[in-house]
Amino acid sequence: MLDIRELRKAGEEISARLALRGYTLDLAAFEALDAERKDADMRSQALQADRKKASKQVGDLIQSGMSVDAAKAQVAETLAQIDAEMDREVQRAQAIQEQLREFLMGVPNVPHEDVPPGRSEDDNVEVRRWGTPREFDFTPRDHVDLGEAMNGGIDFERAAKLSGARFAVMSGSIARLHRALIDFMLDVHTSQHGYTETYVPYLVGPDALRGTGQLPKFAEDLFRVEGERELYLIPTAEVPVTNLYADEILDAAELPQKRVCHTPCFRSEAGSHGRDTRGMIRQHQFEKVELVQLVRPEDSDAALEALTGHAEAILQALELPYRVVTLCGGDIGFSAAKTYDIEVWLPTQNTYREISSCSNFRDYQARRMQARWRNPDTGKPELVHTLNGSGLAVGRTLVALLENGQNADGSITVPAALRPYLRGAERLGG
């Protein structure tokens, strides 16, 4: 959520920055609401002054010749009228404040100064590449054909029987490979990158989703669970992990907070009909190892570079070619100020596909959550900066391993770094 004080002070500048996203800020509507809020506050203050003045009039009325009982009754009537009007003004102010809050909750984050202009993913800017895509001396098969050939290692038909489209059942060596990837990622991030492994609930309330920006704007992308209270299946571990610090004030010594968390993720994929319908690229349920950081504001730019490097390290260890792109204004996520997408090479699609998004949210999420730290220089609480990124999306990593590591006989070469997690196996299947 944007800082309302900054919006009052630099509305035109913020509006111009938001236009980089293709978002039109209704500054006039904001200013009208804010003026109405100010009027309600001023009216309440005036009524309080009137009440204070009226309460002192009993003595004046008695001195003017009015009886004590009559003077008290007249003042009591006046106070009752003022109190009734004050109640109306308080209710008006509360209603306006809620309208202002809803307005601000619907405004996306202001893009970072480094975000390039552009309307879509076609305008994203490549930063770097790592690795060289493999040249095959046979026609490579996609992960669906490879998985199905490995004794039904990936079974979409039985998954559809259970749950419908966009689900998968994994068995045997494919299921072991999937589990090995999770363990490998968690081990690297905890032992080499300094993250604390964290386990969280897979169901969260609406406040947590509002805190990280999924609600109210993206309600249709969520799975809401029917029950005695309002709960949602998490779309990403970002939601529960970042919200661990909602409504808290951290000591300076507690920063940075670096958490790594493996969870299933659940997304309705609203609006994606017809996209990636084959295979495991876009599913309603998938696994992800998520990296989350809370840092001092002055450290967040450097933290984004480091976090992105942590996700890249996994791909390098698995010997998977990839590239890193900076998202343009028209492609950046609602809550993010700046995002790097890491895209892994998929030979059967002859292109790079997203496998991780690493974002700096600055104080946007922290303001919604009221996640703060106490600045030792001032002694006052200040908002932290939040960051997160996939380290990595497990299903898409499995897809990339199958397709890039395949052999002509249908077997899959296991990268050396992953072999200890697969009982030393150098190949799977075939």
Side-chain angles (χ1 to χ4, degrees), residues 66-88:
M66 187 179 290
S67 70
V68 172
D69 290 342
K72 288 182 176 179
Q74 181 173 320
V75 170
E77 182 180 354
T78 301
L79 291 175
Q81 292 173 351
I82 294 173
D83 287 344
E85 192 170 353
M86 283 180 64
D87 286 342
R88 288 192 293 271

Side-chain angles (χ1 to χ4, degrees), residues 253-316:
E254 295 179 274
L255 295 178
Q257 280 289 327
K258 297 171 63 177
R259 302 271 184 158
V260 60
C261 184
H262 159 247
T263 66
C265 305
F266 306 91
R267 299 183 186 178
S268 71
E269 294 294 346
S272 68
H273 302 294
R275 295 179 60 199
D276 297 313
T277 55
R278 179 176 168 83
M280 295 178 63
I281 295 295
R282 193 178 298 276
Q283 295 200 297
H284 293 309
Q285 175 185 314
F286 59 96
E287 310 281 312
K288 193 148 62 82
V289 171
E290 189 77 359
L291 307 174
V292 174
Q293 293 195 27
L294 277 71
V295 303
R296 300 184 186 204
E298 63 267 26
D299 296 334
S300 67
D301 285 345
L304 177 60
E305 302 300 324
L307 186 149
T308 304
H310 298 155
E312 290 181 71
I314 300 296
L315 289 171
Q316 292 176 14

Side-chain angles (χ1 to χ4, degrees), residues 88-389:
R88 288 192 293 271
E89 287 301 321
V90 167
Q91 292 175 14
R92 180 166 79 100
Q94 290 174 342
I96 296 167
Q97 197 64 39
E98 183 57 29
Q99 290 179 60
L100 271 171
R101 181 175 179 274
E102 290 179 5
F103 178 91
L104 291 172
M105 291 287 266
V107 178
N109 201 355
V110 176
H112 190 284
E113 297 81 1
D114 294 343
V115 171
R119 296 184 178 181
S120 70
E121 61 183 18
D122 296 332
D123 300 313
N124 294 338
V125 177
E126 184 173 313
V127 178
R128 56 184 170 271
R129 293 190 182 197
W130 185 92
T132 303
R134 175 183 169 191
E135 293 187 10
F136 292 85
D137 56 6
F138 60 92
T139 302
R141 291 185 285 176
D142 72 6
H143 69 282
V144 177
D145 291 339
L146 290 165
E148 289 177 343
M150 296 174 69
N151 296 318
I154 305 179
D155 193 330
F156 296 102
E157 289 187 12
R158 286 191 172 93
K161 180 172 65 175
L162 296 172
S163 308
R166 296 187 186 270
F167 290 91
V169 170
M170 289 177 279
S171 303
S173 59
I174 296 293
R176 287 197 301 274
L177 175 60
H178 188 265
R179 175 163 52 91
L181 284 169
I182 295 166
D183 288 344
F184 170 68
M185 293 176 191
L186 289 171
D187 283 351
V188 169
H189 292 312
T190 54
S191 66
Q192 299 180 26
H193 300 151
Y195 290 84
T196 299
E197 185 171 351
T198 306
Y199 175 86
V200 293
Y202 301 159
L203 291 165
V204 294
D207 286 347
L209 290 157
R210 278 190 283 268
T212 43
Q214 281 77 17
L215 284 179
K217 187 172 179 61
F218 302 105
E220 65 175 5
D221 293 328
L222 304 170
F223 284 110
R224 181 174 175 176
V225 178
E226 295 296 329
E228 61 181 13
R229 54 198 175 96
E230 188 178 359
L231 289 171
Y232 296 81
L233 289 166
I234 59 170
T236 166
E238 165 199 348
V239 177
V241 177
T242 311
N243 275 277
L244 289 173
Y245 300 99
D247 299 312
E248 291 190 17
I249 301 174
L250 296 168
D251 290 333
E254 295 179 274
L255 295 178
Q257 280 289 327
K258 297 171 63 177
R259 302 271 184 158
V260 60
C261 184
H262 159 247
T263 66
C265 305
F266 306 91
R267 299 183 186 178
S268 71
E269 294 294 346
S272 68
H273 302 294
R275 295 179 60 199
D276 297 313
T277 55
R278 179 176 168 83
M280 295 178 63
I281 295 295
R282 193 178 298 276
Q283 295 200 297
H284 293 309
Q285 175 185 314
F286 59 96
E287 310 281 312
K288 193 148 62 82
V289 171
E290 189 77 359
L291 307 174
V292 174
Q293 293 195 27
L294 277 71
V295 303
R296 300 184 186 204
E298 63 267 26
D299 296 334
S300 67
D301 285 345
L304 177 60
E305 302 300 324
L307 186 149
T308 304
H310 298 155
E312 290 181 71
I314 300 296
L315 289 171
Q316 292 176 14
L318 296 176
E319 304 168 35
L320 293 172
Y322 67 87
R323 70 172 190 162
V324 178
V325 298
T326 303
L327 297 196
C328 70
D331 198 33
I332 197 170
F334 179 82
S335 300
K338 181 179 180 180
T339 298
Y340 291 121
D341 268 8
I342 305 174
E343 301 175 344
V344 69
W345 177 258
L346 294 185
T348 61
Q349 296 187 20
N350 196 38
T351 192
Y352 292 93
R353 294 298 305 270
E354 178 199 335
I355 197 168
S356 173
S357 247
C358 302
S359 298
N360 183 357
F361 301 91
R362 290 187 162 175
D363 61 9
Y364 186 86
Q365 291 180 328
R367 182 170 289 105
R368 295 165 81 107
M369 296 185 302
Q370 283 301 288
R372 295 170 292 170
W373 70 295
R374 192 172 300 280
N375 189 329
D377 295 332
T378 64
K380 296 180 180 179
E382 298 178 8
L383 294 170
V384 298
H385 279 197
T386 63
L387 307 96
N388 68 55

